[in-house]
């Protein structure tokens, strides 16, 4: 895979975060120049990486319905909340990537939901709309991590990736980012998202224990 072009840190600003359950964290938010897709992705620095340690990194794809409105049709909101706390404890970065609906956009995602209501799973619904099952490209994420490293803000031994998705680790490795370990998130199951989570485990090899998925 071709290595991404260079990006640079554009700005940094501190933002205090408060979640609906009362959990609070301090984030330093970075913006960037030169990202390959031209989107306004963000990196949130959380906690402190111990000297000689490896930053814990989460690539979190934007999900308006889950992150903002608390939709139970996915596990995005709970994963975001979990990730902020775990990264704050370990030290590292949450990359908030503007990739709604696995890269298909908000309206298309809602159209796919309607097809899921008729019986299709999340991947077949995307295909039925003439869209990729998962259209995400992590070139910009690799650029962001490289830019942070060049600014002296990450270690030199790679990252630990907080993700259940093997494709994220594979793409980052192909883009020159050393992934030391892939660390799974929790399983955030509800009556409304169990089919979605089962599809992710069965169709794309996500690290989700099927025994945890009932219903």
């Amino acid at each position: 895979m071709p290595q991404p072009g260079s990006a640079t840190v554009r700005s940094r600003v501190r933002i205090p975060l408060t979640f609906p359950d009362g959990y609070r964290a301090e984030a330093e938010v970075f913006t960037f120049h030169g990202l390959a897709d031209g989107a306004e992705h963000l990196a949130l620095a959380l906690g402190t990486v111990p000297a000689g340690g490896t930053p814990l990194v989460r690539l979190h794809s934007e999900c308006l319905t889950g992150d903002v409105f608390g939709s139970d049709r996915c596990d995005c909101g709970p994963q975001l909340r979990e990730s902020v706390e775990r990264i704050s404890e370990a030290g590292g970065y949450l990359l908030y990537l503007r990739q709604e609906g696995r890269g298909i956009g908000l309206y298309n995602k809602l159209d796919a939901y309607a097809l899921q209501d008729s019986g299709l799973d999340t991947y077949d619904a995307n295909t039925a709309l003439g869209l990729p099952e998962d259209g995400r490209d992590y070139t910009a994420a690799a650029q962001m991590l490289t830019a942070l490293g060049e600014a002296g803000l990450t270690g030199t031994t790679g990252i630990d990736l907080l993700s259940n998705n093997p494709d994220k680790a594979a793409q980052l490795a192909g883009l020159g980012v050393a992934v030391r370990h892939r660390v799974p998130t929790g399983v955030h199951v509800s009556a409304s998202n169990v089919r979605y989570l089962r599809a992710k485990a069965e169709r794309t090899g996500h690290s989700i224990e099927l025994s945890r998925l009932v219903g």
Side-chain angles (χ1 to χ4, degrees):
M1 182 179 294
Q3 299 305 301
S6 62
T8 57
V9 172
R10 172 184 173 275
S11 68
R12 54 199 293 182
V13 60
R14 290 200 168 272
I15 299 179
L17 309 178
T18 302
F19 287 82
D21 64 357
Y23 177 75
R24 297 178 60 84
E26 288 286 332
E28 187 170 21
V29 179
F30 292 82
T31 66
F32 298 86
H33 285 301
L35 296 179
D37 58 8
E40 294 184 329
H41 305 300
L42 302 175
L44 280 68
L46 299 159
T48 302
V49 181
T54 302
L56 182 62
V57 174
R58 166 75 179 166
L59 274 55
H60 186 89
S61 296
E62 177 182 46
C63 178
L64 179 71
T65 52
D67 296 343
V68 177
F69 298 123
S71 167
D72 280 340
R73 294 194 64 142
C74 63
D75 57 347
C76 302
Q79 282 191 327
L80 177 63
R81 164 65 178 81
E82 175 194 4
S83 297
V84 169
E85 183 169 3
R86 291 179 65 177
I87 297 171
S88 294
E89 292 172 351
Y93 294 88
L94 185 142
L95 305 191
Y96 196 82
L97 306 174
R98 313 301 297 276
Q99 300 173 326
E100 186 78 48
R102 295 199 303 276
I104 66 173
L106 178 59
Y107 279 16
N108 284 329
K109 181 178 83 170
L110 296 176
D111 290 343
Y113 278 175
L115 291 176
Q116 291 169 43
D117 288 342
S118 70
L120 298 183
D121 73 20
T122 180
Y123 299 103
D124 288 338
N126 283 13
T127 301
L129 292 170
L131 300 167
E133 290 185 352
D134 190 336
R136 290 175 294 183
D137 180 297
Y138 298 107
T139 298
Q143 288 180 300
M144 294 160 75
L145 292 169
T146 300
L148 291 169
E150 290 175 347
L153 299 165
T154 63
T156 60
T157 58
I159 66 170
D160 289 338
L161 184 66
L162 182 60
S163 177
N164 298 326
N165 185 352
D167 184 54
K168 290 182 179 179
Q171 283 203 39
L172 287 179
L175 291 162
V177 176
V179 179
R180 192 184 68 156
H181 298 298
R182 183 164 62 87
V183 182
T185 72
V187 178
H188 303 284
V189 63
S190 72
S192 298
N193 72 16
V194 63
R195 288 180 60 241
Y196 166 79
L197 295 179
R198 183 176 291 114
K200 290 206 296 185
E202 294 177 344
R203 296 286 297 271
T204 51
H206 280 60
S207 303
I208 300 172
E209 294 181 25
L210 291 174
S211 62
R212 299 281 302 275
L213 305 180
V214 296

